Amino acid sequence: MRLLFMFVVMAATAILAAGPVRADEAALRAEIAKFADAKKFKQTQAVIDGIAALGDPAAATALNALSDGLLKVRKSDGAVFVIKGEGDPLELFDPVTLEAAGSAAEDELRKVKIKNSIRRQIADAVSGLTLRAKDPAVRFQAAATLFQRPDPDTIETLDAVIADETEDRVRKAFEDARAAAVLASDMDDDAKLAAIETLRERGGRDVLPVLKGTSANGESAAVAEAASAAATAVEKSLMYWSAGQNIWYGVSLGSVLLLAAIGLAITFGVMGVINMAHGEMVMLGAYTTFVVQEIIRSSAPGMFDYSLMIALPLAFLVAGTFGLILERGVIRFLYGRPLETLLATWGVSLILQQAVRTIFGPTNREVGNPSWMSGSFEVGEILVTTNRLWIVVFSLVVFAILLLVLKRTRFGLQMRAVTQNRPMASSMGIATPWVDAFTFALGSGIAGIAGVALSQIDNVSPNLGQGYIIDSFMVVVFGGVGNLWGTLVGAMTLGIANKFLEPYAGAVLAKIFILVLIILFIQKRPRGLFALKGRSVET
């Protein structure tokens, strides 16, 4: 009997503990079921208000589905479901738990119709429901939504959640949303002045409409003046952030120019060859990446995140091998004849473009970003995309490795000797023809791995290299022919200058202006920023 009594007590305790949860869920399901009878917009709005009044975060599932047009009613029994997927029949899911609930033909279901004003109502309701969600990211997003649509009726709720919030970042977001709501309310001037100060400290572009609206909405002189001063301070801060954003864009463009130009700097500096096919070496690297990704997609999709790691050495080998063949088969017969070299390499570039069009077609090819190169993040008001950041890092790594090759290897020593004094290097036993050949192959290989990087931010097409060849020559000439440090400084300088000029002159005029400046600069310093020294280069 004692055991039976204890069992009954334990069972009763469990039922009592579970009772409120079941009651809450039952109430939520009862409200959601009312969508079956909501034939008019006003009826749908009333159901949404009823669901929001329950304050149950689980209701967000059904409301979000309603906003996305995925909430449907089964005509036969009036049951409400969330549908997923396409085709016929449609898969049905529970509107609270999202558990699978069978399937139904599309003509057996009726969509709960909404309009834009109802979508805004849903967004407000979901924000209110998610203010106390367990996930801090959900609460933060709810606060951001409330900030975008300030409502004085939410001030009391926000005061409560601010008092209970444990995450500093989320609490600050709630405080910002409350400040925006205060400025939209009829509270006293002291409360509004405190709210203005909160928004001034927050800063950002999304604060400006709130502050400017406050200063223009007939508020008291003190509030209007404080809002105007805060807006001015925010705009001044944004001006500095905008300059920082332009610098980042310039560094990003400069890293691209560095990758495209660094191989050209080697070949042009050592051999004096104007290689108009250099852009096509970049193109070969990009198409190598495309081929690698296509093979991985069809045979080993799970390795897609490693596709660029596989493509890098292959692109170097493909472009480097072609560069070696080009130098041995064409260019070595044209040394000392710059015009013929220019025309020959230009012809080779046209042949390569047409060959790629024949093999891959004239349209752009899709090269995907691995997961670790996708997305973006903010540093203050500066937006940094992950793929651009990795390209900046990659360009600096390539630069450092190439610098070590030139300074710390026997091949680099021979290359520098040939650059500074070709006759003396030859008389010392250096096989200058093969130094030329492998130098050209190295420069072409670097252009190939530049193509791998550019495939992540540009269209992969037969004309990919044409967009970088002129800029590459400008970087090399401006920085100093054959000087790697000059190439680095030249690429970053031209990239940043270009991005600062674009907002005022446009992309095309900015490039023209940069070209004119380089021409004027060369009149004063014909050898560029960092001129090489040596008997051959000085004659």
Side-chain angles (χ1 to χ4, degrees):
M1 291 295 292
R2 180 176 295 179
L3 289 174
L4 178 62
F5 176 78
M6 292 177 62
F7 176 79
V8 171
V9 171
M10 291 172 63
T13 303
I15 291 171
L16 289 173
V21 177
R22 291 176 180 172
D24 289 345
E25 184 176 319
L28 176 58
R29 290 186 180 278
E31 287 296 327
I32 292 175
K34 293 179 181 178
F35 280 121
D37 300 321
K39 304 293 178 63
K40 297 181 179 180
F41 289 141
K42 287 185 178 179
Q43 294 173 328
T44 302
Q45 289 173 319
V47 175
I48 294 170
D49 287 338
I51 292 174
L54 295 176
D56 189 347
T61 300
L63 293 177
N64 285 327
L66 176 62
S67 180
D68 296 335
L70 301 177
L71 196 70
K72 295 196 175 185
V73 179
R74 189 159 56 194
K75 297 176 183 178
S76 60
D77 58 2
V80 180
F81 298 98
V82 175
I83 62 103
K84 290 185 179 181
E86 297 179 354
D88 203 359
L90 294 171
E91 296 181 21
L92 306 181
F93 296 86
D94 186 273
V96 178
T97 63
L98 283 181
E99 294 178 355
S103 62
E106 190 169 3
D107 58 2
E108 297 176 0
L109 303 172
R110 174 178 63 82
K111 182 179 179 180
V112 181
K113 296 182 179 179
I114 60 173
K115 56 183 179 179
N116 287 336
S117 60
I118 295 180
R119 287 190 177 90
R120 290 191 290 270
Q121 180 189 6
I122 292 171
D124 292 338
V126 171
S127 297
L129 293 172
T130 53
L131 289 177
R132 295 185 181 276
K134 292 182 179 180
D135 188 351
V138 175
R139 299 198 302 274
F140 183 84
Q141 186 59 44
T145 301
L146 290 178
F147 181 85
Q148 296 297 328
R149 286 190 291 272
D151 183 358
D153 293 336
T154 63
I155 294 176
E156 184 176 347
T157 302
L158 286 170
D159 286 336
V161 296
I162 289 171
D164 296 337
E165 183 57 56
T166 57
E167 296 280 342
D168 292 340
R169 175 171 172 265
V170 179
R171 185 190 303 110
K172 182 66 172 66
F174 283 146
E175 291 172 351
D176 294 339
R178 183 188 183 281
V182 167
L183 293 180
S185 70
D186 56 359
M187 295 181 70
D188 58 39
D189 285 0
D190 289 340
K192 291 188 175 183
L193 290 174
I196 290 171
E197 181 61 23
T198 298
L199 295 185
R200 187 192 68 77
E201 292 177 357
R202 180 184 193 272
R205 291 176 178 82
D206 51 354
V207 165
L208 290 176
V210 180
L211 293 175
K212 290 183 176 180
T214 301
S215 63
N217 283 343
E219 299 285 350
S220 67
V223 171
E225 183 179 351
S228 178
T232 302
V234 171
E235 286 176 336
K236 186 176 180 180
S237 174
L238 288 175
M239 181 179 67
Y240 292 123
W241 283 115
S242 178
Q245 183 75 72
N246 283 335
I247 291 174
W248 164 247
Y249 286 151
V251 170
S252 175
L253 175 60
S255 66
V256 171
L257 294 178
L258 176 64
L259 282 173
I262 196 167
L264 187 65
I266 296 171
T267 56
F268 194 21
V270 175
M271 306 163 63
V273 172
I274 303 175
N275 180 19
M276 295 300 293
H278 184 78
E280 277 55 53
M281 305 301 171
V282 176
M283 176 195 68
L284 289 178
Y287 273 97
T288 301
T289 308
F290 166 71
V291 172
V292 168
Q293 288 196 351
E294 286 299 298
I295 294 173
I296 289 178
R297 282 192 179 103
S298 60
S299 59
M303 293 186 63
F304 187 81
D305 279 350
Y306 303 97
S307 59
L308 296 189
M309 306 298 183
I310 299 171
L312 280 172
L314 291 177
F316 182 86
L317 288 174
V318 169
T321 300
F322 192 87
L324 183 63
I325 295 171
L326 177 61
E327 196 281 334
R328 289 286 86 189
V330 178
I331 293 175
R332 73 187 179 106
F333 301 108
L334 300 175
Y335 286 132
R337 297 151 65 185
L339 181 59
E340 286 88 339
T341 304
L342 186 149
L343 291 174
T345 53
W346 180 57
V348 170
S349 73
L350 296 179
I351 293 172
L352 283 175
Q353 289 180 41
Q354 192 55 47
V356 168
R357 286 190 182 94
T358 302
I359 298 171
F360 298 101
T363 57
N364 296 340
R365 290 295 182 173
E366 179 187 359
V367 175
N369 287 346
S371 60
W372 49 273
M373 284 190 73
S374 302
S376 62
F377 59 93
E378 290 187 356
V379 179
E381 293 295 320
I382 298 176
L383 178 65
V384 179
T385 54
T386 309
N387 58 351
R388 291 274 183 175
L389 178 62
W390 277 112
I391 288 175
V392 171
V393 173
F394 178 68
S395 66
L396 295 177
V397 170
V398 171
F399 176 83
I401 292 174
L402 191 56
L403 202 61
L404 287 174
V405 169
L406 293 181
K407 300 292 186 182
R408 301 295 181 183
T409 66
R410 182 179 180 84
F411 174 67
L413 178 64
Q414 293 177 348
M415 189 190 304
R416 287 184 287 125
V418 172
T419 303
Q420 294 179 14
N421 195 323
R422 179 179 292 269
M424 182 61 70
S426 179
S427 66
M428 295 296 293
I430 295 176
T432 56
W434 283 107
V435 170
D436 290 338
F438 286 111
T439 299
F440 199 88
L442 176 63
S444 299
I446 293 172
I449 61 177
V452 177
L454 293 180
S455 69
Q456 300 300 296
I457 59 173
D458 207 340
N459 295 322
V460 177
S461 70
N463 298 320
L464 172 65
Q466 294 298 303
Y468 295 97
I469 184 65
I470 302 301
D471 289 338
S472 298
F473 274 111
M474 286 198 297
V475 168
V476 171
V477 172
F478 177 65
V481 175
N483 190 298
L484 291 185
W485 286 107
T487 304
L488 174 64
V489 174
M492 295 301 171
T493 302
L494 294 186
I496 294 173
N498 204 60
K499 287 302 177 182
F500 269 97
L501 289 173
E502 276 184 7
Y504 306 102
V508 176
L509 286 178
K511 284 194 173 183
I512 293 174
F513 189 65
I514 292 293
L515 178 60
V516 171
L517 289 178
I518 290 176
I519 292 173
L520 295 176
F521 176 80
I522 292 174
Q523 299 302 311
K524 296 293 184 182
R525 293 182 65 91
R527 296 177 188 164
L529 284 173
F530 300 91
L532 288 176
K533 295 181 180 181
R535 293 183 180 179
S536 293
V537 295
E538 290 175 357
T539 57

